[in-house]
Amino acid sequence: MKRKRKNIFIDYFVVNLGSLITAAGIAFFLTPARIAPGGVSGLAIIINSIWGSPVGMTMLFLNVPIFLIGLKIFGKAYGFKTFLGTVLLSVYVDLLNYLFPHIDTLIDFAKGGNLFLATIYGGLLVGFGVGIIMKFGGSTGGTDILAQIINKYLKVSMGYSMMAVDIIIVSIAAMVFGFEKALYAIITLYAIGVVINKVFEGVSYSKMVYIISDKYTEIRSIIINDLDSTGNGMDIEGLYTNKDRKMIMTVMRNKKIHDLREHIKAVDPEAFVIVSEVYEVLGEGFTPIK
């Protein structure tokens, strides 16, 4: 289903802006302070400190194979916006380092007290940047893709999968930078998670959506074919009109909600849509039932 050019432009503009904000957090705070809060960026910061390789290009070198693996396993779930976010983030990190080569002297992280500034402001910027990217259907790849691969093959929930990957990277950082820096990294990791959830306007990873529309067939096709999701169709009766209608109930991860909203707007602006928080989803594609 084709979407309006204006909406597509906004999506890519936000992915671009979010990548720049995330890169600022990494380049201005986390890299100079040698704080590696998990993820591919954390691993790139560790590699940079050992071999001196550019953080951005290292991130790209690590991210592209992960993206290709995710593309092979999950297919169209990883579209151009994810690839764009991955590349832009890497480019912006190195570009900011080039434009501001003396940023590490402007903010003196050699003093222990200033490390907390890097922890908080780095976490805020990265969390806000990644949050708005994901809210508009994009991704910066890395940990998110690895966690979904672990979820698929080892049947470990997304939350625990992401935590496991980040703990491994923070543990490596502890051996390279010391235990104290690892503790700062954990605080940064927590701040990133909190801000991402706030940007999503909730604390859940998924949302329940109820859709009542005369364009039931078209919206059903969008959910199945364009968004690679599923749901249930239910027969309902309007209390006021006494007319029989069809309602769709579906559960989607937060990053798909924006695309669903835009598709519905294009097909039926008069549709009645309810989006509610979901705090636990058990079953295929989500947390396995134990």
Side-chain angles (χ1 to χ4, degrees):
M1 183 63 63
K2 292 183 178 179
R3 296 171 55 204
K4 294 181 180 179
R5 288 185 179 180
K6 178 181 178 182
N7 294 329
I8 295 174
F9 172 79
I10 291 173
D11 285 0
Y12 286 113
F13 173 79
V14 172
V15 170
N16 185 76
L17 178 62
S19 299
L20 180 59
I21 293 172
T22 305
I26 295 171
F28 293 164
F29 294 100
L30 301 183
T31 302
R34 293 290 185 261
I35 293 176
V40 168
S41 60
L43 193 55
I45 291 171
I46 295 171
I47 294 173
N48 167 263
S49 71
I50 298 174
W51 289 296
S53 56
V55 174
M57 287 302 99
T58 304
M59 290 170 59
L60 187 62
F61 179 79
L62 296 171
N63 259 322
V64 168
I66 295 173
F67 174 83
L68 293 176
I69 293 170
L71 190 65
K72 182 175 178 61
I73 294 174
F74 300 106
K76 63 182 181 181
Y78 294 102
F80 182 68
K81 278 189 282 189
T82 297
F83 181 75
L84 181 66
T86 299
V87 174
L88 284 176
L89 177 58
S90 301
V91 171
Y92 280 144
V93 168
D94 283 349
L95 180 62
L96 290 174
N97 280 321
Y98 175 78
L99 295 176
F100 303 94
H102 304 296
I103 189 65
D104 55 339
T105 59
L106 179 64
I107 306 174
D108 188 4
F109 292 117
K111 298 178 180 178
N114 285 336
L115 286 175
F116 194 68
L117 294 178
T119 300
I120 298 301
Y121 284 100
L124 290 176
L125 287 173
V126 172
F128 183 72
V130 172
I132 63 174
I133 290 172
M134 295 179 68
K135 187 169 184 177
F136 280 78
S139 171
T140 56
T143 303
D144 185 34
I145 299 176
L146 287 176
Q148 290 188 51
I149 294 172
I150 294 172
N151 171 259
K152 179 178 176 66
Y153 290 106
L154 300 182
K155 305 303 180 184
V156 179
S157 71
M158 277 293 296
Y160 285 123
S161 298
M162 294 181 72
M163 186 184 302
V165 174
D166 288 333
I167 286 175
I168 292 171
I169 295 173
V170 170
S171 299
I172 296 172
M175 292 185 287
V176 176
F177 300 133
F179 184 69
E180 183 179 354
K181 290 286 184 73
L183 293 178
Y184 279 114
I186 293 172
I187 296 174
T188 302
L189 192 59
Y190 176 77
I192 291 171
V194 169
V195 175
I196 288 175
N197 286 332
K198 290 299 181 182
V199 172
F200 270 128
E201 299 178 343
V203 295
S204 62
Y205 291 103
S206 303
K207 286 184 170 59
M208 174 84 75
V209 185
Y210 298 92
I211 307 164
I212 303 173
S213 170
D214 293 329
K215 303 289 186 179
Y216 170 85
T217 304
E218 290 91 329
I219 294 176
R220 176 181 178 275
S221 176
I222 288 168
I223 292 172
I224 295 173
N225 298 319
D226 294 340
L227 300 177
D228 194 27
S229 295
T230 186
N232 293 293
M234 296 179 283
D235 295 316
I236 62 171
E237 179 183 292
L239 293 179
Y240 182 75
T241 63
N242 287 325
K243 290 183 178 180
D244 293 329
R245 305 183 72 182
K246 297 283 286 184
M247 180 177 74
I248 296 173
M249 181 194 74
T250 181
V251 177
M252 290 187 179
R253 298 197 183 279
N254 284 332
K255 63 182 180 181
K256 289 187 178 182
I257 294 299
H258 171 74
D259 287 341
L260 175 64
R261 186 184 295 118
E262 293 298 320
H263 281 304
I264 293 175
K265 187 192 301 182
V267 171
D268 183 10
E270 303 299 321
F272 188 76
V273 182
I274 301 172
V275 181
S276 62
E277 297 287 357
V278 176
Y279 292 95
E280 185 174 25
V281 184
L282 305 177
E284 185 177 354
F286 295 91
T287 303
I289 301 175
K290 296 181 180 179

